[in-house]
């Protein structure tokens, strides 16, 4: 079968799957309506009071629970006094509603103070997702929450469980997000440092260890009475039952590792896609990723057990986050008698790669096209620009325009962004193992224009940062699509690596990690009309320019709400039409 026929088969499969969802849910699908106010609040996420961004007086924001085929409508009012806001529905592909993706200057204008914007979109695929702010560093300020999509009515999950928990992971600083933005944008840059706390469902304990009884002498510094905002949420199980734990990471910086003391975990879902089940005793999770694991409550029911989350990939200066797996009817106040699981050494990348390489698509999952139409090589580097520290892709640090790409491309507005496309690759003599010989970079707002329905390969290439012997983990997230992860490799990618691509059962994901001094190969079909962000999900890295924009089939997009585009040149266009 030739490549064009293969692409047609993939597109037909996607179409049939989407159609089957609609048919299956016809008559049972619902429209879920929410009214949300976004505002700053005083809160104590880690028992230290600070300022957070909340929704309807809640932190984290309310959990949305829907079924595949449902329509979600969120009437969002910006009650911030001095800044805009948008919300990205992470993992939702926004098929037919690209303006609802929630990316400022890409899919919509920022919602101004006092204004209301209505997000309306279909949740077409079951899975574990979340939402978060996508304007400035509002995710660092706490604007996030969970979004869970259950299977459609009369559809069964491919695995059994008796109960379910949801765990949203995040990190927390005592320095507010505005000060962090200023520090990162200063010359010289002032690095934000490691987070003070890790939060589990928005709750952590600063300068306190729930496992203090193991200290010598034992510590008595965890005074959690009367501190409902930061007291850990205990997970209660019944002996010998099987539980599903949904896990999503919206961290601003930290890569994490999760373990449940003495309990084996079976991974069954990644980023809203089923995977071949495999068992582990600990698992890495990078910012932007989500998983479901199954575990059986098969330990001594007279004891309770630690659930532990620790930092990976960076030299940790942040204590583990802990909560308790409580066996009913044992007292929930009974602390575990064993120590918390030990987080693997932060730079044990072999451990991380071993876990990541075990993730394979479940049987029956869509397979990727066997060939590609276009390959885009994206070199990730840390650079300098006029004394400021930046992150760049192919030596261009992303700087978003005033007019959203969706509107400027749809209406053929000249000079809304750079006319010249960004580079497709980087110099073949670039040494990824050493700091850049010329560290200088430039800013740009060009966009990769993709042919509709074409197959795109993206090679994410990691490199040495500005300092010697430093290469960081970068988790990348693609909006509007799932992609197949074809493989990972060491040092610089070459054409010889293609023979090792996994075309048999590569996992479908919306987020993927690049390991230090390595590369990651992705493949996706540009079949979703819109303008889509593709970026490192580490908040400071994106703020400093680490991202690109893809656009495809925008001429097919219809009925864009004018409220999404009433800024910049599109705003002027709508104003002129009124006159």
């Amino acid at each position: 079968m030739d490549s064009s026929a293969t692409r047609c088969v993939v597109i037909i499969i996607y179409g049939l799957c989407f159609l089957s969802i609609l048919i299956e849910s016809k008559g049972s699908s619902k429209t879920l309506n929410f009214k949300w106010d976004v505002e700053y609040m005083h809160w104590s996420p880690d028992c230290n009071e600070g300022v957070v961004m909340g929704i309807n007086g809640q932190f984290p924001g309310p959990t949305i629970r829907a079924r595949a085929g449902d329509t979600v409508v969120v009437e969002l009012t910006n009650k911030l006094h001095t800044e805009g806001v948008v919300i990205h529905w992470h993992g939702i592909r926004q098929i037919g509603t690209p303006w609802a993706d929630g990316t400022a200057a890409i899919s919509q204008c920022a919602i101004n103070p006092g204004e209301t914007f209505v997000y309306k979109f279909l949740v077409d695929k079951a899975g574990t997702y979340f939402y978060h702010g996508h304007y400035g560093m509002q995710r660092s300020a706490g604007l996030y929450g969970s979004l869970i999509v259950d299977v459609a009515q009369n559809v069964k999950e491919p695995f059994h469980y008796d109960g379910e928990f949801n765990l949203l992971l995040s990190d927390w600083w005592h320095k507010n997000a505005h000060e962090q933005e200023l520090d990162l944008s200063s010359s010289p840059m002032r690095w934000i440092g490691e987070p003070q706390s890790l939060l589990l469902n928005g709750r952590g304990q600063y300068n306190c260890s729930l496992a203090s009884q193991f200290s010598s002498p034992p510590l008595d510094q965890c005074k959690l009475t009367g501190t409902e905002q930061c007291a850990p949420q205990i997970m209660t199980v019944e002996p010998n039952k099987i539980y599903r734990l949904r896990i999503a990471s919206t961290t601003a910086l930290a890569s994490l590792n999760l373990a449940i003391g003495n309990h084996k975990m079976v991974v069954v879902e990644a980023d809203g896609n089923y995977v071949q089940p495999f068992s582990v005793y600990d698992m890495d999770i990078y910012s932007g990723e989500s998983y479901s694991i199954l575990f059986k409550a098969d330990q001594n029911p007279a004891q309770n057990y630690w659930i532990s989350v620790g930092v990976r990939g960076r030299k940790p200066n942040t204590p583990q986050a802990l909560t308790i797996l409580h066996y009913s009817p044992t007292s929930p106040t009974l602390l575990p008698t064993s120590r918390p699981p030990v987080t693997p050494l932060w730079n044990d990348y072999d451990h991380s790669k071993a876990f990541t390489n075990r993730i394979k698509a479940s049987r029956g999952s869509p397979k990727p096209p066997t060939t590609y139409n276009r390959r885009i090589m994206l070199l990730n580097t840390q650079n300098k620009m006029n004394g400021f520290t930046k992150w760049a892709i192919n030596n261009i640090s992303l700087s978003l325009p005033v007019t959203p790409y969706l509107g400027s491309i749809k209406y053929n507005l000249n000079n809304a962004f750079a006319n010249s496309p960004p580079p497709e690759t980087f110099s073949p003599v670039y040494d990824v193992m050493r700091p850049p010989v010329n560290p200088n970079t430039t800013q740009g707002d060009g966009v990769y224009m993709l042919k509709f329905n074409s197959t795109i390969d993206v090679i994410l290439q990691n490199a040495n940062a500005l300092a010697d012997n430093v290469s960081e983990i970068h988790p990348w997230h693609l909006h509007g699509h799932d992609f197949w992860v074809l493989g990972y490799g060491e040092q610089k990618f070459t054409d010889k690596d293609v023979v090792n691509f996994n075309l048999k059962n590569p996992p479908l994901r919306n987020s993927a990690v690049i390991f230090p001094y390595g590369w990651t190969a992705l493949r996706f079909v540009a079949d979703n009309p819109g303008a889509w962000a593709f970026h490192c999900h580490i908040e400071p890295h994106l703020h400093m320019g680490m991202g690109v924009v893809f656009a495809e089939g925008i001429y097919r997009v219809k009925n864009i709400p004018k409220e999404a585009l009433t800024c910049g040149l599109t705003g002027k266009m709508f104003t002129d039409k009124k006159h």
Side-chain angles (χ1 to χ4, degrees), residues 43-48 202-205 224 227-232:
W43 205 264
S44 302
D46 63 356
C47 303
N48 274 41
R203 297 162 179 251
Q205 296 79 43
L224 298 180
T227 52
E228 174 62 23
Q229 293 176 354
C230 65

Side-chain angles (χ1 to χ4, degrees), residues 186-190 381-392 395 397 436 438-443 466-467 544:
S186 296
S187 179
M189 179 192 70
R190 302 182 183 184
T381 55
Q382 190 180 40
N383 298 81
K384 287 286 188 180
M385 189 179 73
N386 300 323
F388 295 90
T389 302
K390 296 288 184 180
W391 285 94
N395 210 43
S397 184
N438 178 4
N440 295 321
T441 191
T442 58
Q443 280 189 317
L466 287 170
M544 298 160 72

Side-chain angles (χ1 to χ4, degrees), residues 210-237:
L210 298 179
S212 58
Q213 78 269 29
F214 297 114
S215 302
S216 183
L219 303 176
D220 185 24
Q221 60 193 49
C222 292
K223 306 293 185 183
L224 298 180
T225 55
T227 52
E228 174 62 23
Q229 293 176 354
C230 65
Q233 289 183 339
I234 294 172
M235 296 184 184
T236 300
V237 298

Side-chain angles (χ1 to χ4, degrees), residues 237 259-265 280-282 295-299 305 325 327:
V237 298
I260 305 174
N262 291 14
H263 289 73
K264 182 169 63 177
M265 303 181 292
V280 291
Y281 282 96
D282 68 85
F295 70 92
K296 187 174 183 180
D298 57 1
Q299 298 300 300
Y305 301 86
L325 184 69
Y327 272 67

Side-chain angles (χ1 to χ4, degrees), residues 113-136:
E115 292 183 347
T116 298
F117 182 82
V118 178
Y119 290 100
K120 183 178 181 179
F121 54 89
L122 178 75
V123 289
D124 64 295
K125 186 160 63 86
T128 303
Y129 308 106
F130 60 102
Y131 61 85
H132 60 80
H134 216 294
Y135 181 67

